[in-house]
């Protein structure tokens, strides 16, 4: 159609390509067409893409073409999304017959320092980046805008250059005037990268007025933040702080508390979501209670921070100072994500609020270090019990504690006795034959997959029934096997205790 110069009046129907229906098939065809022999294979390419966290690029034809071409020519992007976008921009600037020129080392971001056609047109890059920022951080993110709106940020010549380069494209619409022509970036990810570039080049007080409108919507800007981590981690942290408020992290804290107390009901629902479907967490969503919704946000926030850390490392950032307080290691994370989360944890080891270990990715020495250095702020822990950590738990201000594995009764007795704030205690996959001390502040106590003696159970019930701090104490047992039952130990006369507010739930346990 471009070669034939078909007039708009002659077009009966306009078809717009939105994406790839079968990226695997297209990838295989491209790899075959770009080589004379089968030196490189589709399997090798996919392994590279997964290791470099570039899978999202395979759903867009031109980004996929660029990625395959670079890989076929042995140009490794080291997993840096910022570098890949800069290569793409450099090729587009070259396409528009831009002059050749280079940035001096140390005068710009590392990802731009290896480009060959951007520096002489740096004013154009800054103009289009400013426009991308405003369209991305407007009250409602805009992927389509008018020529008139673009002229607020660039001259007619700069606009023509961007169209010639393919940075911008005109959407065909006969019903609008030339000044109102609708335009867009070639792809949303390019707009987001340019927006991040503008944030990294700007003083935060110059753009804070737009950022205020996006408070609590940090996940909607997740890709911009990930790019910004590769450009400047310090500014990325500041942007995150601007996009969140005290309520955001307070809500996350409450949701994580709900998760550790009722994790069996919350796990699958919270992890099976993504940035696009979660939307604004202040809006209602059918089938989601508020705790589950905010819990999903907390896990997505962690995934965003992991991706940001990986991008910062791949982009050569020297001071990776991303700040996190809540850490959940689970089976949903692949190896590279788990390794990144471990590194992120150690960067924040003195300010950890939540540490949930559902996988064995953390070394015992690392766990002990985090517990010791975050003893002043650690509120909840879920971890396997090993002798090395018993002493580290003493005198902590934990509110929720989930222990997995066989307990050393004396060590646990000392540990629980020293805790003054514990309201939830969960013991799982253990054997309990000796009495343990129950903290007076306890409100919830759960046993799961436990083998215990009848003496342990009787003394435990007596201790729980004597707690007076709360109107209701909830005690749950699931898959509990009481061994060595001896009916003679049961007292014939009832103990002088009030059981009216004591709730017991027993599931799948022995008689």
């Amino acid at each position: 159609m471009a070669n034939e110069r078909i007039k708009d009046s002659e077009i009966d129907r306009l078809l717009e390509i939105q994406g790839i229906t079968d990226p695997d098939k297209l990838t295989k065809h491209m790899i075959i067409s770009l080589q004379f022999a089968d030196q490189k294979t589709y399997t090798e390419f996919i392994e590279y893409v997964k290791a470099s966290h570039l899978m999202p690029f395979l759903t867009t034809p031109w980004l996929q073409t660029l990625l395959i071409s670079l890989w076929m020519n042995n140009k490794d992007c080291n997993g840096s999304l910022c570098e890949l976008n800069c290569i793409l921009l450099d090729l587009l600037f070259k396409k528009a017959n831009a002059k050749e020129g280079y940035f001096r080392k140390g005068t710009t971001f590392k990802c731009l320092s290896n480009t060959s056609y951007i520096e002489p047109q740096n004013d154009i890059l800054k103009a289009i980046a400013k426009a991308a920022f405003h369209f991305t951080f407007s009250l409602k993110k805009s992927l389509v805008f008018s020529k008139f709106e673009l002229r607020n940020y660039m001259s007619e010549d700069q606009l023509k250059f961007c169209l010639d380069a393919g940075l911008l494209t005109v959407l065909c619409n006969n019903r609008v005037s030339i000044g109102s022509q609708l335009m867009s970036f070639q792809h949303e990810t390019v707009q987001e990268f340019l927006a991040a570039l503008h944030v990294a080049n700007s003083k935060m007080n110059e753009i804070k007025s737009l950022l205020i409108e996006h408070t609590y919507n940090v996940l909607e800007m997740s890709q911009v933040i990930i790019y910004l981590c590769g450009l400047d981690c310090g500014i990325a942290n500041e942007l995150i702080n601007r996009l969140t408020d005290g309520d955001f992290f307070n809500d996350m804290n409450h949701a994580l508390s709900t998760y550790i107390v009722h994790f069996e009901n919350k796990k699958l629902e919270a992890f099976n979501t993504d940035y696009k479907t979660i939307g604004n967490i202040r809006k209602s969503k059918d089938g989601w209670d508020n705790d589950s919704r905010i819990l999903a946000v907390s896990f997505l926030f962690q995934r965003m921070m992991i991706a940001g850390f990986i991008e910062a490392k791949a982009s050569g950032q020297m001071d990776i100072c991303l700040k996190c307080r809540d850490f959940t290691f689970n089976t949903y994370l692949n190896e590279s994500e788990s390794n990144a989360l471990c590194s992120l944890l150690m960067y924040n080891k003195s300010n950890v609020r939540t540490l949930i270990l559902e996988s064995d990715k953390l070394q015992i020495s690392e766990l002990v270090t985090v517990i010791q250095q975050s003893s002043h702020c650690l509120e909840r822990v879920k971890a396997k019990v090993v002798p090395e950590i018993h002493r580290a738990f003493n005198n902590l201000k934990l509110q929720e504690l989930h222990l997995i594995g066989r307990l050393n009764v004396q060590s646990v007795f000392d540990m629980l006795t020293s805790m003054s704030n514990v309201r939830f205690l969960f013991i799982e996959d253990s054997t309990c034959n000796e009495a343990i001390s129950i903290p007076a502040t306890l409100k919830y106590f759960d046993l799961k997959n436990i083998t215990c003696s009848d003496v342990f159970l009787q003394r435990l019930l007596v201790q729980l029934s004597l707690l007076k701090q709360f109107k209701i104490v909830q005690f749950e047992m699931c898959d509990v096997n009481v061994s060595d039952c001896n009916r003679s130990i049961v007292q014939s006369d009832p103990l002088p205790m009030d059981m009216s507010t004591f709730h017991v739930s027993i599931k799948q346990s022995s008689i």
Side-chain angles (χ1 to χ4, degrees):
M1 291 179 67
N3 291 334
E4 293 294 335
R5 301 296 176 189
I6 299 175
K7 296 178 182 179
D8 288 348
S9 60
E10 297 176 336
I11 297 176
D12 182 52
R13 293 184 180 178
L14 181 68
L15 304 181
E16 182 177 355
I17 298 175
Q18 294 186 332
I20 302 170
T21 57
D22 192 345
D24 291 341
K25 186 175 181 180
L26 179 59
T27 301
K28 291 174 182 177
H29 282 314
M30 291 177 66
I31 291 175
I32 292 173
S33 67
L34 290 174
Q35 60 183 338
F36 295 105
D38 295 332
Q39 301 101 330
K40 294 192 172 186
T41 66
Y42 167 80
T43 302
E44 292 171 337
F45 174 72
I46 293 299
E47 288 176 354
Y48 161 75
V49 170
K50 288 182 177 178
S52 302
H53 304 280
L54 300 173
M55 288 299 289
F57 285 77
L58 299 189
T59 58
T60 307
W62 65 314
L63 291 177
Q64 186 183 43
T65 302
L66 172 66
L67 192 59
I68 294 173
S69 297
L70 291 173
W71 180 73
M72 294 295 292
N73 288 287
N74 298 315
K75 293 183 179 180
D76 192 357
C77 292
N78 297 319
S80 170
L81 302 179
C82 289
E83 183 182 0
L84 187 62
N85 274 277
C86 285
I87 293 172
L88 175 62
L89 291 174
D90 203 38
L91 291 173
L92 293 177
F93 273 53
K94 179 181 179 181
K95 175 185 174 184
N97 296 320
K99 294 180 181 179
E100 193 170 357
Y102 304 89
F103 290 97
R104 287 182 295 171
K105 297 292 184 182
T107 63
T108 188
F109 304 109
K110 185 176 180 180
C111 57
L112 282 170
S113 62
N114 294 323
T115 59
S116 304
Y117 295 92
I118 295 178
E119 193 278 334
Q121 285 72 229
N122 198 27
D123 288 344
I124 297 177
L125 179 65
K126 289 181 178 180
I128 194 67
K130 185 176 182 179
F133 169 78
H134 281 270
F135 293 134
T136 301
F137 284 87
S138 58
L139 190 57
K140 184 177 181 181
K141 183 176 181 180
S142 177
L143 300 178
V144 177
F145 33 82
S146 68
K147 181 179 179 180
F148 178 79
E149 290 174 305
L150 270 172
R151 288 300 308 276
N152 292 324
Y153 308 103
M154 62 181 63
S155 66
E156 189 70 37
D157 288 341
Q158 290 175 330
L159 178 56
K160 183 178 184 304
F161 180 91
C162 291
L163 288 168
D164 290 342
L167 268 171
L168 297 171
T169 184
V170 177
L171 304 180
C172 185
N173 192 329
N174 294 328
R175 293 171 292 181
V176 299
S177 63
I178 292 179
S180 301
Q181 281 181 320
L182 298 180
M183 300 181 179
S184 69
F185 288 90
Q186 284 281 15
H187 192 267
E188 182 180 357
T189 189
V190 177
Q191 178 176 335
E192 291 170 325
F193 174 71
L194 290 170
L197 199 60
H198 179 71
V199 175
N201 274 319
S202 303
K203 294 181 179 179
M204 195 59 67
N205 58 1
E206 295 177 358
I207 60 178
K208 65 180 181 181
S209 60
L210 274 177
L211 298 181
I212 290 173
E213 298 172 350
H214 285 272
T215 297
Y216 221 81
N217 289 350
V218 62
L219 293 181
E220 294 183 3
M221 300 300 157
S222 58
Q223 193 57 56
V224 175
I225 292 171
I226 292 168
Y227 284 137
L228 196 54
C229 290
L231 297 170
D232 190 314
C233 269
I235 297 179
N237 259 330
E238 193 168 352
L239 178 62
I240 293 169
N241 291 335
R242 294 280 184 177
L243 293 177
T244 55
D245 56 17
D247 290 341
F248 180 87
F249 290 109
N250 289 337
D251 287 347
M252 281 178 55
N253 192 42
H254 173 74
L256 286 166
S257 177
T258 302
Y259 174 71
I260 201 169
V261 174
H262 303 292
F263 73 102
E264 289 180 308
N265 300 325
K266 302 293 182 183
K267 180 186 294 186
L268 189 62
E269 182 180 38
F271 278 102
N272 286 347
T273 188
D274 55 41
Y275 300 116
K276 301 299 182 183
T277 59
I278 195 64
N280 186 332
I281 70 172
R282 284 181 175 168
K283 296 177 182 177
S284 62
K285 181 177 167 124
D286 293 339
W288 286 68
D289 62 73
N290 193 53
D291 283 342
S292 295
R293 190 167 173 73
I294 300 175
L295 181 62
V297 168
S298 70
F299 292 139
L300 288 172
F301 182 81
Q302 175 177 281
R303 281 169 50 189
M304 180 190 75
M305 298 301 283
I306 290 173
F309 179 88
I310 292 172
E311 177 61 23
K313 191 173 181 180
S315 298
Q317 290 281 303
M318 300 304 295
D319 185 17
I320 304 178
C321 53
L322 296 176
K323 296 178 181 178
C324 296
R325 297 196 65 194
D326 304 300
F327 297 84
T328 302
F329 291 82
N330 52 66
T331 56
Y332 290 85
L333 301 177
N334 60 38
E335 185 174 357
S336 62
E337 290 171 331
S338 294
N339 291 338
L341 189 59
C342 283
S343 298
L344 200 55
L345 173 63
M346 300 316 293
Y347 274 105
N348 293 274
K349 60 188 176 185
S350 299
N351 193 35
V352 177
R353 179 173 63 180
T354 302
L355 187 58
I356 299 175
L357 306 178
E358 296 175 349
S359 62
D360 298 325
K361 293 297 182 181
L362 204 63
Q363 299 294 324
I364 298 301
S365 59
E366 294 174 326
L367 173 58
V368 172
T369 297
V370 171
I371 292 173
Q372 291 174 340
Q373 297 198 22
S374 290
S375 60
H376 62 288
C377 57
L378 199 57
E379 294 185 14
R380 65 190 56 85
V381 172
K382 177 180 179 180
K384 286 187 176 180
V385 179
V386 293
E388 293 89 341
I389 70 170
H390 280 130
R391 185 173 298 176
F393 274 108
N394 286 344
N395 298 311
L396 291 185
K397 298 179 180 179
L398 290 178
Q399 296 182 24
E400 291 119 27
L401 179 60
H402 186 145
L403 300 175
I404 305 171
R406 180 148 191 170
L407 305 179
N408 180 311
V409 175
Q410 184 59 48
S411 297
V412 172
F413 176 87
D414 295 338
M415 180 180 71
L416 293 176
T417 302
S418 70
M419 293 181 180
S420 58
N421 293 333
V422 175
R423 66 182 187 87
F424 171 77
L425 178 61
F426 195 121
I427 299 177
E428 182 180 2
D429 294 334
S430 185
T431 299
C432 304
N433 291 320
E434 301 177 50
I436 62 174
S437 177
I438 301 301
T441 54
L442 203 64
K443 188 175 181 180
Y444 303 96
F445 187 23
D446 282 16
L447 296 175
K448 182 179 180 182
N449 295 334
I450 299 294
T451 297
C452 66
S453 66
D454 50 6
V455 174
F456 167 85
L457 183 58
Q458 185 190 44
R459 290 177 180 175
L460 179 62
L461 289 169
V462 171
Q463 285 190 63
L464 288 170
S465 66
L466 294 174
L467 296 179
K468 301 296 184 183
Q469 277 68 20
F470 295 97
K471 292 182 179 179
I472 296 179
V473 176
Q474 179 175 309
F475 176 47
E476 290 195 12
M477 295 189 295
C478 183
D479 294 319
V480 173
N481 180 50
V482 182
S483 61
D484 302 325
C485 286
N486 184 353
R487 293 177 180 272
S488 64
I489 70 163
V490 181
Q491 294 179 248
S492 57
D493 297 324
L495 291 171
M497 52 191 177
D498 179 13
M499 300 290 287
S500 61
T501 59
F502 187 73
H503 294 196
V504 180
S505 171
I506 304 174
K507 305 172 186 175
Q508 301 175 167
S509 298
S510 65
I511 295 176

